[in-house]
Amino acid sequence: MTAAGGKGLEGIVAANSGICWIDGDAGVLSYRGIDIHELAVNSTFEETTYLLWNGILPNELALREFQGRLALSRSLDQRIVDMLRTFPVTATPMEVLRTAVSALSFYDADEKDNSHDANVRKSYNITSQIAMIVAIYDRIRKGLEVVPPNRSISHAANFLWMLNGVMPSETAVKTMDMALVLHAEHELNASTFAARVIAATLSDVHSAITGAIGALKGPLHGGANEGVMRLLHTIDKAGADPVEYVKNMLAAKQKISGFGHRVYKTEDPRATHLRKMSEQLGKDANQSKWYDMSRAIELYINTDKKLNANVDFYSASTYATLGIDIDLYTPIFAISRISGWTAHVIEQLDDNRLIRPRANYIGPVYPSPYIPMEERG
Ligand SMILES: CC(C)(COP(=O)(O)OP(=O)(O)OC[C@H]1O[C@@H](n2cnc3c(N)ncnc32)[C@H](O)[C@@H]1OP(=O)(O)O)[C@@H](O)C(=O)NCCC(=O)NCCS
């Protein structure tokens, strides 16, 4: 065997897929061929999820049915809620989500059925349940009453309702919905690839999504949005100049969360919308501090280091202005990305082949002798 892939599988094409197309040089992202800029402005999370799962935009009736079915899936076995109450207060919402999604399979009648229809049924359930778990756990850890789901409002609105226990403003729902559309899908990113690898062993949807959540949690992936906000808080607390602060970090060879991307060599098209959202929300709330700091950092890193902001950079200040706790940022990424993960798992299992690459061996020469214990140094 010859041929070594780039380190980190850089530039390697690992699957055929009809879900997402990215042109990293031109900064193009599309779901099922439709440009993200169009979806960001015109679509909703429900419509985008339908598009990802079915390959086409729904007509009015199909969309209404889809919304209804997703809303009907807003139901969580009481034993899952009871389990959430048993977790230590030190458990982060992302760790809790990873564990709870794994446990969801115990109460899903389709757990072991890997047929297309069962996978779609499970996808509805998990999509609704992930948002519920994040909201419910946040209330449990704060000693607040669990808020029952509302099946007559949108997915984004229901998440905010269950999180805060008050009906969210139109602006908050619109912002959350657009954030969910922007984060929904991104080709073979680390968590989606992890989900496909797990699904391809003919394990099950819950296992694939549990693995994906574990991958998303990492600071080089979805965890970066929390890293951005922690950095902004640190700079603010120290009363430091944001540009000087990141200059020193870069001089110390530290990475700045929210910058750089494996695929995009230009601006991440999702960042364009999140920047606008962050700025507008800051203006509306008369609280532009986080946006202003972010923009100053971005201009410096962009000009001096030629690095662009990615999806995570402005989602941090956007969520902060909505009053959302920092450790919920990555779970919110999961609440959105579940639509892409499940689209890929369904696609993988519709035409499955085990994913099993090879390694470029760089270890001791073969054959190396087996040295008896008494002769080892
Ligand atoms: C996303 C990321 C993991 C891509 O990694 P990658 O494709 O393996 O690229 P590398 O980490 O090898 O980066 C290439 C170069 O850019 C630099 N670089 C990349 N991102 C950087 C960042 N956020 N801050 C500072 N330098 C960065 C690297 O240090 C490296 O420089 P070098 O060639 O002088 O060593 C990387 O950009 C990163 O760690 N970003 C911060 C975390 C983040 O925001 N993740 C969310 C991605 S959506």
Side-chain angles (χ1 to χ4, degrees):
M1 195 188 60
T2 53
K7 196 174 172 194
L9 295 184
E10 181 163 358
I12 300 293
V13 173
N16 290 331
S17 176
I19 300 171
C20 178
W21 180 70
I22 299 172
D23 180 338
D25 295 326
V28 174
L29 164 62
S30 60
Y31 300 167
R32 300 284 188 185
I34 301 176
D35 195 281
I36 192 65
H37 295 307
E38 289 212 58
L39 292 167
V41 176
N42 299 308
S43 193
T44 60
F45 178 71
E46 283 87 335
E47 185 184 69
T48 292
T49 305
Y50 182 102
L51 172 70
L52 291 170
W53 290 358
N54 296 286
I56 51 165
L57 287 170
N59 63 24
E60 218 177 314
L61 177 65
L63 180 59
R64 228 177 308 126
E65 279 176 5
F66 187 86
Q67 288 163 331
R69 204 166 154 193
L70 201 60
L72 259 185
S73 307
R74 281 175 205 153
S75 149
L76 211 50
D77 194 286
Q78 184 56 38
R79 284 164 291 188
I80 294 287
V81 180
D82 293 343
M83 186 183 78
L84 296 180
R85 294 187 193 279
T86 67
F87 292 142
V89 285
T90 49
T92 66
M94 201 56 185
E95 292 169 315
V96 165
L97 187 63
R98 183 196 58 208
T99 303
V101 167
S102 175
L104 285 176
S105 72
F106 306 147
Y107 311 109
D108 195 314
D110 285 322
E111 181 206 355
K112 292 183 177 63
D113 185 347
N114 271 340
S115 67
H116 176 89
D117 288 352
N119 290 335
V120 172
R121 282 198 298 276
K122 285 184 273 191
S123 297
Y124 277 108
N125 289 342
I126 304 175
T127 300
S128 284
Q129 289 165 334
I130 277 190
M132 294 176 70
I133 289 167
V134 174
I136 290 174
Y137 178 67
D138 189 58
R139 292 190 70 84
I140 288 175
R141 69 175 173 161
K142 289 176 176 158
L144 299 168
E145 287 288 311
V146 168
V147 177
N150 183 330
R151 295 193 175 82
S152 60
I153 55 180
S154 72
H155 188 73
N158 181 61
F159 168 63
L160 292 170
W161 155 249
M162 291 187 69
L163 186 69
N164 299 318
V166 289
M167 253 325 138
S169 70
E170 210 178 300
T171 308
V173 174
K174 221 168 157 230
T175 305
M176 182 54 63
D177 199 39
M178 201 201 263
L180 296 183
V181 169
L182 290 170
H183 288 82
E185 162 59 15
H186 212 232
E187 201 221 38
L188 289 192
N189 58 87
S191 56
T192 303
F193 188 57
R196 284 190 83 125
V197 169
I198 294 169
T201 69
L202 298 186
S203 180
D204 60 82
V205 177
H206 289 89
S207 298
I209 302 307
T210 304
I213 293 171
L216 186 72
K217 177 173 160 288
L220 295 188
H221 191 8
N225 56 12
E226 295 182 14
V228 173
M229 204 59 223
R230 292 191 204 287
L231 174 64
L232 295 179
H233 271 287
T234 305
I235 296 172
D236 188 48
K237 232 175 162 181
D241 177 79
V243 171
E244 287 306 315
Y245 197 93
V246 296
K247 236 187 228 180
N248 289 335
M249 284 180 72
L250 290 167
K253 299 265 172 243
Q254 285 177 278
K255 276 192 170 176
I256 315 296
S257 295
F259 286 91
H261 201 276
R262 174 62 66 79
V263 180
Y264 293 118
K265 302 302 167 218
T266 176
E267 172 151 309
D268 179 333
R270 302 164 297 177
T272 315
H273 294 277
L274 287 155
R275 183 191 297 109
K276 265 193 224 155
M277 264 201 280
S278 165
E279 182 179 19
Q280 192 56 50
L281 279 176
K283 272 189 191 146
D284 293 350
N286 215 3
Q287 191 202 321
S288 292
K289 179 169 74 176
W290 301 128
Y291 171 79
D292 292 343
M293 284 171 75
S294 303
R295 186 70 180 138
I297 291 170
E298 183 192 20
L299 286 174
Y300 169 68
I301 294 187
N302 195 229
T303 313
D304 275 53
K305 295 288 159 193
K306 308 283 172 253
L307 282 170
N308 293 292
N310 59 45
V311 68
D312 295 304
F313 191 62
Y314 282 103
S315 57
S317 46
T318 298
Y319 298 149
T321 312
L322 284 181
I324 294 172
D325 288 356
I326 296 178
D327 60 5
L328 295 180
Y329 295 4
T330 315
I332 289 173
F333 197 152
I335 288 173
S336 165
R337 186 54 61 81
I338 183 62
S339 53
W341 288 333
T342 43
H344 278 269
V345 169
I346 292 167
E347 184 182 65
Q348 179 67 38
L349 290 173
D350 279 352
D351 182 21
N352 191 52
R353 188 148 196 248
L354 181 76
I355 298 171
R356 202 299 189 192
R358 296 297 309 272
N360 179 41
Y361 180 69
I362 54 167
V365 67
Y366 173 84
S368 290
Y370 179 83
I371 304 166
M373 183 63 80
E374 54 280 12
E375 291 173 26
R376 293 177 209 166

